[in-house]
Amino acid sequence: MSAAHATAATAATSVPLPFVLSAGRYVVTARAGDPILMPARARLIWAANTASATATLGIPTLLAGGGAAVPYPLESPAGKAAALRDLERLYGVTAGFDIALLQDPKVRSDRDWIAGGQFIRQVLPEAGLVHTRDPAIALECARRNIDWIYEEHDEDYQVGFASQAASVLRQPSCRAVVAITEAVARRLRAEGVPQDRLLTLESGVSSAAQQRRGEAAERWRASFLRPGYRHLAAYTGGLHDERGIEHILRAAALLPHVMFVLAGGTIADQARWSRAIEVRGVGNLRLIGYLDHDAVCTLQQAADIVLATRAAGPRSAITSPLKLYEYLLSGTPFVTAEISGTAHLRRAALAGITYDPVAPDGLAAAITTVLGQFPRQSCGYAQNIGAGLAFTWEERQRRLLSFIGPILVRETF
């Protein structure tokens, strides 16, 4: 366990929770059919970190997901241990939890399993509480009177569930409905979710991000800051259009002395933006692909500035700034889009500023301002790191478990 993980574990277990799971395990699963791990899939990051945070709080935890795409045998203890190591490496989690690797031979698609098949037989018999983002899994738990938590992130397969299942959400087995932002919470209230079941929780950040990576960060700087470039700007995250990547291309064209490095995204999105960079002749922008968690944190600490861009539009209102919380723990000065999810941070005295995504050319001016006001510090800006600690996955899970209280498991399956 790293020093950062050890510190987080000590802090997370130092205060007792009112939550008690009297039998069974706390099961975390994102969506039926999802693999247990995959690069560039945000809800799998959510699942792994939620399981890790719950286990850190001393609660027996099981992470369930598909195993068909894992490139080694999973039947043996060695195979399961390998999968846990991959989860640690890819997502920066501490694997104090168990895993259930699901595969349904009757499923003939790119999805490994279904809610009504392997999950019922392999996972639900030992479940004390199920935490999921899938309406189908929530309904399977409700039918069997197994306690469950449903988490809404405004994904396509989730929209409309609350209005169609209002009576299910009032059952005692529904312990909480978690909304990722206040905008989502307002919609859920309008769709009939009882107020006493509804809790708004933003995305979390891995506490491992606060660990300093000084020597490695300096090597990254040396590799990118060749002659002609004075500053390093980093973006880490998805590359689809709503992330505001177009804003970064515009800023790079206006700031030729800044090297822009983008890490993340699917292979298809990387190829698409690579073509756009070539067509526009932008020479100071590098796409370096999807990185493991430790490498992402190293890049963030190597940079003079980190960017949390976002395209303007209705979806910006439901965005939870997970990336920005990771940036805060890096200690690196930031520029973030001015969206509702960052309003509370804009009021804090942090090393960073916002720009208006409606006027994307303002990103270049914001970058210039931050580079002037907040020169790089190898140890990071303490006020940013301190602000980020309030948003760790452990703190997020503590709030949720305090909200739902004791779980007295019934013999129901």
Side-chain angles (χ1 to χ4, degrees):
M1 181 183 291
S2 70
H5 277 126
T7 300
T10 300
T13 56
S14 60
V15 181
L17 284 166
F19 175 85
V20 176
L21 187 61
S22 64
R25 292 196 279 185
Y26 191 108
V27 174
V28 180
T29 190
R31 185 186 184 190
D34 278 349
I36 201 162
L37 73 164
M38 175 188 288
R41 182 63 65 83
R43 65 175 176 262
L44 302 186
I45 298 173
W46 166 87
N49 278 278
T50 298
S52 179
T54 307
T56 298
L57 294 171
I59 298 163
T61 306
L62 178 70
L63 174 64
V70 178
Y72 37 73
L74 299 171
E75 294 78 11
S76 67
K80 184 177 284 190
L84 287 167
R85 286 194 299 271
D86 278 351
L87 283 163
E88 290 182 325
R89 173 185 55 81
L90 192 61
Y91 300 140
V93 300
T94 303
F97 52 89
D98 196 4
I99 56 176
L101 295 159
L102 308 176
Q103 185 175 358
D104 194 330
K106 297 179 182 179
V107 177
R108 295 289 184 266
S109 71
D110 59 351
R111 310 194 78 195
D112 287 349
W113 53 284
I114 59 176
Q118 194 84 345
F119 185 77
I120 290 176
R121 296 188 295 272
Q122 187 172 334
V123 176
L124 286 188
E126 56 179 314
L129 174 68
V130 175
H131 187 170
T132 186
R133 287 164 59 161
D134 193 332
I137 291 176
L139 289 174
E140 294 293 349
C141 294
R143 292 186 186 107
R144 291 162 177 81
N145 204 26
I146 294 171
D147 287 291
W148 50 281
I149 298 166
Y150 172 67
E151 186 151 337
E152 170 90 49
H153 286 232
D154 205 59
E155 296 184 83
D156 292 343
Y157 66 92
Q158 295 180 314
V159 174
F161 170 64
S163 60
Q164 297 167 13
S167 61
V168 173
L169 298 174
R170 289 183 172 83
Q171 291 181 7
S173 62
C174 175
R175 302 307 298 254
V177 177
V178 178
I180 190 62
T181 65
E182 185 53 40
V184 173
R186 286 195 295 271
R187 175 174 62 76
L188 291 174
R189 279 192 289 269
E191 292 177 355
V193 175
Q195 182 60 45
D196 63 349
R197 303 284 169 87
L198 187 60
L199 177 66
T200 302
L201 290 175
E202 299 160 317
S203 289
V205 60
S206 171
S207 54
Q210 68 180 304
Q211 180 183 349
R212 301 312 298 174
R213 298 161 172 84
E215 292 183 6
E218 292 304 322
R219 290 194 295 271
W220 281 69
R221 286 182 67 80
S223 68
F224 286 116
L225 290 180
R226 303 296 173 85
Y229 300 115
R230 298 196 299 273
H231 299 289
L232 176 61
Y235 168 92
T236 60
L239 298 180
H240 31 294
D241 290 336
E242 67 180 31
R243 299 294 183 179
I245 307 305
E246 170 67 26
H247 303 179
I248 298 177
L249 267 66
R250 294 190 186 193
L254 294 170
L255 300 172
H257 62 287
V258 178
M259 172 57 72
F260 290 79
V261 177
L262 279 62
T266 64
I267 292 175
D269 281 337
Q270 292 168 32
R272 182 165 60 93
W273 288 112
S274 181
R275 289 192 296 271
I277 292 166
E278 184 177 357
V279 168
R280 298 189 191 191
V282 181
N284 58 328
L285 200 156
R286 302 286 183 270
L287 294 173
I288 61 174
Y290 192 89
L291 303 177
D292 295 344
H293 185 263
D294 186 71
V296 166
C297 293
T298 301
L299 174 60
Q300 292 167 358
Q301 293 181 20
D304 296 276
I305 187 169
V306 284
L307 308 175
T309 51
R310 186 77 193 186
R315 282 193 61 80
S316 65
I318 59 90
T319 298
S320 179
L322 181 154
K323 183 191 344 310
L324 182 55
Y325 299 149
E326 193 170 84
Y327 288 169
L328 288 175
L329 282 188
S330 77
T332 302
F334 63 86
V335 172
T336 181
E338 188 171 323
I339 60 176
S340 58
T342 63
H344 59 298
L345 296 175
R346 295 199 298 271
R347 294 189 290 268
L350 300 175
I353 63 173
T354 64
Y355 79 101
D356 185 357
V358 176
D361 286 340
L363 175 60
I367 290 171
T368 301
T369 298
V370 170
L371 291 175
Q373 290 184 357
F374 304 104
R376 181 175 182 268
Q377 297 181 1
S378 59
C379 60
Y381 279 80
Q383 65 266 41
N384 288 21
I385 296 171
L389 288 173
F391 297 99
T392 63
W393 289 104
E394 290 85 0
E395 287 304 313
R396 184 185 200 268
Q397 199 64 355
R398 181 187 299 281
R399 289 174 59 194
L400 173 57
L401 298 179
S402 297
F403 178 81
I404 65 177
I407 302 292
L408 301 176
V409 179
R410 298 169 289 277
E411 295 292 336
T412 58
F413 195 86

